[in-house]
Amino acid sequence: KQEVTQIPAALSVPEGENLVLNCSFTDSAIYNLQWFRQDPGKGLTSLLLIQSSQREQTSGRLNASLDKSSGRSTLYIAASQPGDSATYLCAAPNSGNTPLVFGKGTRLSVIA
Amino acid sequence: NAGVTQTPKFQVLKTGQSMTLQCAQDMNHEYMSWYRQDPGMGLRLIHYSVGAGITDQGEVPNGYNVSRSTTEDFPLRLLSAAPSQTSVYFCASSGSYGPLGETQYFGPGTRLLVL
């Protein structure tokens, strides 16, 4: 059974700083991994999807990497802004044709 | 294109009452799922479906029932509400799971309070 862990649970940084959020998973035979953003009281919004054949994906100031052999993924946010404040979740599927298993998220606060 | 919609946004129930949480998507996705989100527990899978007429249990299925009669709709039924079912419920849909996994799209959630 896939287990996904995110450390730290919360992070506070000053505006403009580059930062890295970490995600680890137990079953390295994953097909893909997704990063989501959740604003307070809202649903989840997909940020990046990395297929197992890829090592990274980029969208604007966001870059996600995937290292299957070590069971790790990172989300890099460049030049952070107060609008980036949210909870970031990573998720990977269980084996087979099944939905995602989520980490508990990292709550990010970017201070102006 | 409305994406994934959920109704109601908020509901208060008394213990023992039943209700149905509605979920609909207009993206012609075969794959739909229900999660609950609780403080400190993260998102946990309740039930999911890989197509009309096909459903399966997730991590926490007890006390919930689902059916999938159309591609668009995937309602979640609480048979006899309990305080432990107080939570935020999210519906999600995707074009695919597994090796061809695609982005999952989430609804805005339903906040349920069981007294």
Side-chain angles (χ1 to χ4, degrees), chain B residues 15-67:
Chain B
T15 296
Q17 287 184 316
S18 63
M19 78 161 293
T20 299
L21 280 64
Q22 301 291 345
C23 174
Q25 52 89 12
D26 61 0
M27 296 173 281
N28 202 31
H29 285 164
E30 291 292 329
Y31 297 77
M32 297 185 73
S33 52
W34 277 101
Y35 293 86
R36 60 177 289 174
Q37 187 175 38
D38 302 290
M41 301 294 291
L43 280 150
R44 292 180 291 170
L45 182 66
I46 305 171
H47 285 285
Y48 66 99
S49 169
V50 298
I54 306 170
T55 63
D56 208 343
Q57 296 182 350
E59 181 184 357
V60 289
N62 292 341
Y64 307 95
N65 205 353
V66 292
S67 60

Side-chain angles (χ1 to χ4, degrees), chain A residues 1 31-32 34 36 38 41-44 46 49 51 89 96-100 102 104, chain B residues 31 35 37 40-41 43 45 48 50 90 97-99 101-104 106-108 111:
Chain A
K1 177 179 177 291
Y31 299 124
N32 52 70
Q34 295 188 36
F36 294 83
Q38 186 177 28
K42 304 291 186 183
L44 281 71
S46 179
L49 165 65
Q51 299 292 355
L89 300 103
N97 209 20
T98 58
L100 297 172
F102 282 83
K104 294 181 180 179
Chain B
Y31 297 77
Y35 293 86
Q37 187 175 38
M41 301 294 291
L43 280 150
L45 182 66
Y48 66 99
V50 298
F90 289 102
Y97 297 151
E102 299 180 11
T103 297
Q104 283 212 68
F106 278 78
R111 295 178 182 277

Side-chain angles (χ1 to χ4, degrees), chain A residues 3-47:
Chain A
E3 293 182 10
V4 179
T5 304
Q6 293 184 250
I7 296 173
L11 181 64
S12 183
V13 301
E15 181 178 7
E17 191 163 298
N18 302 325
L19 61 101
V20 174
L21 305 180
N22 296 298
C23 172
S24 61
F25 45 91
T26 54
D27 184 357
S28 61
I30 60 172
Y31 299 124
N32 52 70
L33 185 138
Q34 295 188 36
W35 282 92
F36 294 83
R37 168 183 173 142
Q38 186 177 28
D39 293 292
K42 304 291 186 183
L44 281 71
T45 300
S46 179
L47 297 173

